């Protein structure tokens, strides 16, 4: 009965996501869907369906769910109560292809220029982590202006996204941006609910196949035994399928996918280590996050570095390898700062503030200039990734907004609006 309920909630969140995909970019509903999968759905399967994976969980299911379920509920509740959906489908006709093309070219030029600049001046590397995503914002601009040239550029941008995934064997960005691209296409061309629903049917097999051979791919390419690329990936997939003789639900691809989706493991490590080995930070770590977002490094030398191991290792006791990057996630962040009750209060407020920020940006900038819808994934993309911590979410929102204002200012200088007579 519980397993049925777990799957029923899964499909309910997917239905909410798909139902709203032709009205706007359903970022809030994508947040619900991804967090539920990674903190509840996959965690329950590990404890109750795949006992071979249970050894990765450092605390019992009852203890973990005693925090995870209320935490997810209040995080979702804050976002749900304070969100306000705006149907943007009626504004599509206001998006002019020539404006979409100009903005796409500008975003792509800035992104490439910053990539080149960072190779000469490494100090701008922290900005490049954000301007890199402008390539994908340019891709979304071109969706509204599908000329032969723009289609060719979109193809090159997609190849760049795929190349980055194959180069490191890390596919999180690839899957997330593909999802966002699909949702934008669904909005732009007003796909029917049936066509929108097929996304899960197409995406799940690809996800499972990649997860089934990801570790082998990393091993062969990092050791130099095979070249990085789609050819090696395809070769390993075909070999894996030839050897696979387990039922689908017990196949290595499904098991690896469930294990990889699990973000509850990080929270469980925090709960086991805090406060028994390390005391609650009583908000000092969260304050450090906020100072790091607002203040430049010259004024705040202790400013956090993205991908740094120190925080994860300090609050979990788990030592990471040099090439591994993990975070405690937003749920872990609030627990290690404030404990059980304080975390629930903080998560509710955070969900509410993020939902209101999304509504404010949509109302102020997208309704008045609908092409700005392409900025929503850039600003709020880190919110919908369950593996990101509070610092990553707030930092991307703050700095992304500053970049948005700069690009908006630059666009108006390059292409000023004609003065009405």
């Amino acid at each position: 009965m519980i397993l049925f309920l777990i799957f029923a909630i899964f499909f309910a969140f997917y239905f909410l996501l798909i139902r709203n995909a032709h009205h706007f970019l359903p970022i809030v509903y994508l947040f619900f869907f991804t967090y539920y999968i990674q903190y509840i759905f996959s965690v329950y399967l590990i404890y109750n369906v795949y006992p071979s994976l249970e050894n990765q969980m450092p605390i019992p299911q009852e203890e973990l769910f005693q925090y995870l379920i209320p935490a997810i509920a209040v995080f979702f509740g804050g976002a749900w109560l304070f969100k306000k959906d705006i149907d943007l489908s009626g504004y599509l006709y206001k998006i002019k292809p020539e404006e979409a093309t100009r903005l796409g070219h500008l975003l792509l030029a800035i992104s490439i220029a910053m990539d080149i600049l960072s190779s000469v001046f490494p100090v701008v590397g922290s900005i490049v982590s954000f301007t890199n995503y402008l390539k994908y914002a340019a891709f979304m601009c071109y969706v509204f202006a599908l000329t032969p040239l723009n289609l060719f550029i979109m193809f090159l941008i997609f190849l760049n996204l795929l190349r980055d995934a194959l180069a490191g064997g890390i596919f999180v960005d690839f899957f997330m941006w593909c999802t966002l691209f699909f949702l934008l296409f669904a909005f732009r061309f007003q796909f029917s609910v049936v066509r929108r629903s097929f996304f899960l049917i197409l995406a799940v097999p690809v996800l499972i196949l990649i997860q089934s051979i990801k570790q082998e791919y990393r091993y062969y390419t990092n050791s130099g035994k095979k070249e990085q690329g789609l050819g090696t990936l395809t070769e390993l997939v075909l070999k894996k399928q030839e050897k696979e003789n387990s039922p689908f639900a017990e196949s290595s691809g499904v098991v690896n996918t469930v294990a990889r989706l699990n973000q509850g493991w990080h929270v469980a490590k925090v709960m086991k280590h805090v406060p028994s080995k390390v005391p609650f930070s009583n908000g000092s770590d969260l304050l450090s996050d906020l100072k790091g977002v607002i203040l430049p490094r010259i004024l705040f030398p202790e400013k956090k570095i993205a991908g740094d191991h120190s925080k994860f290792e300090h609050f979990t006791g788990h030592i990471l390898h040099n090439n591994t990057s993990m975070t405690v996630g937003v749920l872990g962040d609030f627990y290690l700062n404030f404990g059980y009750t304080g975390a629930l209060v903080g998560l509710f407020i955070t969900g509410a503030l993020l939902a209101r920020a999304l509504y404010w940006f949509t109302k102020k900038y997208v309704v008045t200039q609908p092409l700005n819808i392409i900025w929503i994934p850039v600003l709020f993309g880190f919110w919908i990734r369950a593996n990101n911590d509070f610092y990553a979410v707030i930092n991307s929102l703050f700095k992304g907004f500053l970049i948005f204002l700069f690009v908006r200012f630059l666009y108006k200088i390059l292409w000023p609006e004609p003065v009405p007579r």
Side-chain angles (χ1 to χ4, degrees):
M1 180 62 186
I2 296 179
L3 185 61
F4 172 80
L5 180 62
I6 291 291
F7 274 92
I9 296 174
F10 169 88
F11 285 109
F13 280 129
Y14 185 66
F15 172 75
L16 280 174
L17 172 65
I18 292 302
R19 188 189 70 175
N20 290 285
H22 73 296
H23 294 304
F24 42 80
L25 276 179
I27 293 296
V28 172
Y29 301 97
L30 188 56
F31 155 65
F32 293 158
F33 185 65
T34 55
Y35 267 71
Y36 176 76
I37 288 176
Q38 297 196 251
Y39 282 108
I40 304 297
F41 183 80
S42 61
V43 175
Y44 181 85
L45 292 182
I46 285 174
Y47 279 114
N48 298 277
V49 180
Y50 298 105
S52 62
L53 300 175
E54 191 174 349
N55 61 356
Q56 68 180 244
M57 306 303 292
I59 61 177
Q61 173 183 277
E62 293 75 17
E63 183 180 350
L64 179 57
F65 274 153
Q66 191 176 12
Y67 171 66
L68 276 187
I69 292 176
I72 287 291
V74 297
F75 202 11
F76 286 8
W80 181 269
L81 290 174
F82 287 89
K83 74 175 180 64
K84 190 171 182 180
D85 298 333
I86 300 176
D87 189 345
L88 299 171
S89 57
Y91 294 87
L92 279 169
Y93 74 95
K94 293 184 178 181
I95 299 178
K96 299 177 181 179
E98 58 273 17
E99 292 180 359
T101 297
R102 287 199 296 260
L103 181 58
H105 291 348
L106 177 61
L107 291 171
L108 187 58
I110 293 173
S111 183
I112 294 173
M114 290 303 299
D115 288 346
I116 296 172
L117 189 63
S118 67
S119 64
V120 181
F121 303 103
V123 69
V124 301
S126 60
I127 302 176
V128 172
S129 63
F130 297 95
T131 58
N132 179 58
Y133 293 132
L134 297 185
K135 297 182 181 71
Y136 311 131
F139 181 102
M140 291 186 285
C141 282
Y142 298 139
V143 171
F144 297 97
L146 296 176
T147 65
L149 175 60
N150 290 351
L151 284 169
F152 178 68
I153 298 174
M154 290 170 71
F155 176 71
L156 294 180
I157 293 172
F158 185 81
L159 284 183
N160 178 76
L161 177 62
L162 180 60
R163 184 207 63 186
D164 288 348
L166 292 171
I170 300 174
F171 295 87
V172 174
D173 270 5
F174 178 77
F175 285 126
M176 186 54 65
W177 280 106
C178 284
T179 300
L180 291 167
F181 291 162
F182 171 81
L183 291 174
L184 189 72
F185 272 106
F187 170 74
R188 167 66 178 86
F189 297 104
Q190 294 294 285
F191 289 171
S192 68
V193 68
V194 174
R195 293 176 69 185
R196 298 196 300 270
S197 299
F198 270 109
F199 176 73
L200 192 64
I201 298 173
L202 296 173
V204 167
V206 175
L207 175 64
I208 290 174
L209 284 174
I210 290 178
Q211 292 297 339
S212 69
I213 53 85
K214 188 170 68 174
Q215 294 300 326
E216 294 176 63
Y217 176 84
R218 288 178 181 172
Y219 167 74
Y220 283 118
T221 55
N222 290 340
S223 63
K225 295 181 178 181
K226 292 182 181 292
E227 293 184 357
Q228 297 173 344
L230 197 57
T232 298
L233 188 74
T234 304
E235 177 188 342
L236 292 175
V237 166
L238 294 175
K239 287 183 178 179
K240 176 67 71 173
Q241 291 305 300
E242 289 175 2
K243 296 178 181 179
E244 191 67 67
N245 54 11
S246 303
F248 176 75
E250 300 173 11
S251 65
S252 60
V254 173
V255 174
N256 290 340
T257 300
V258 172
R260 180 63 184 88
L261 288 172
N262 171 29
Q263 290 296 321
W265 174 81
H266 301 171
V267 179
K269 293 288 286 185
V270 172
M271 292 177 66
K272 185 177 181 179
H273 204 64
V274 180
S276 62
K277 302 289 179 63
V278 174
F280 293 114
S281 75
N282 295 319
S284 63
D285 192 78
L286 191 72
L287 180 61
S288 176
D289 287 343
L290 294 174
K291 288 168 66 178
V293 169
I294 299 172
L295 299 177
R297 194 170 301 278
I298 191 172
L299 298 179
F300 185 42
E302 295 82 15
K303 183 172 181 174
K304 296 181 179 180
I305 300 173
D308 182 43
H309 294 178
S310 58
K311 177 178 178 177
F312 185 88
E313 293 176 350
H314 177 70
F315 287 106
T316 67
H318 184 85
I319 305 301
L320 298 174
H321 299 296
N322 290 333
N323 60 346
T324 303
S325 178
M326 288 187 184
T327 74
V328 296
V330 175
L331 273 63
D333 259 327
F334 278 94
Y335 180 84
L336 67 87
N337 271 282
F338 305 112
Y340 181 86
T341 304
L344 299 187
V345 175
L347 286 167
F348 180 85
I349 294 172
T350 301
L353 290 176
L354 287 170
R356 293 308 293 178
L358 176 60
Y359 169 70
W360 174 81
F361 182 83
T362 303
K363 185 72 174 178
K364 183 173 179 61
Y365 294 107
V366 181
V367 169
T368 55
Q369 192 172 358
L371 184 58
N372 283 332
I373 193 173
I374 61 98
W375 284 98
I376 290 178
V378 178
L379 299 179
F380 296 92
F382 279 77
W383 179 24
I384 60 180
R385 304 180 192 193
N387 62 315
N388 285 324
D389 58 10
F390 179 79
Y391 177 73
V393 174
I394 301 302
N395 195 37
S396 66
L397 184 58
F398 179 76
K399 290 186 177 176
F401 184 66
L402 294 180
I403 292 172
F404 160 74
L405 293 178
F406 169 74
V407 172
R408 190 165 178 257
F409 172 75
L410 188 58
Y411 183 92
K412 288 183 176 181
I413 291 178
L414 295 173
W415 296 285
E417 296 180 2
V419 179
R421 296 180 180 179

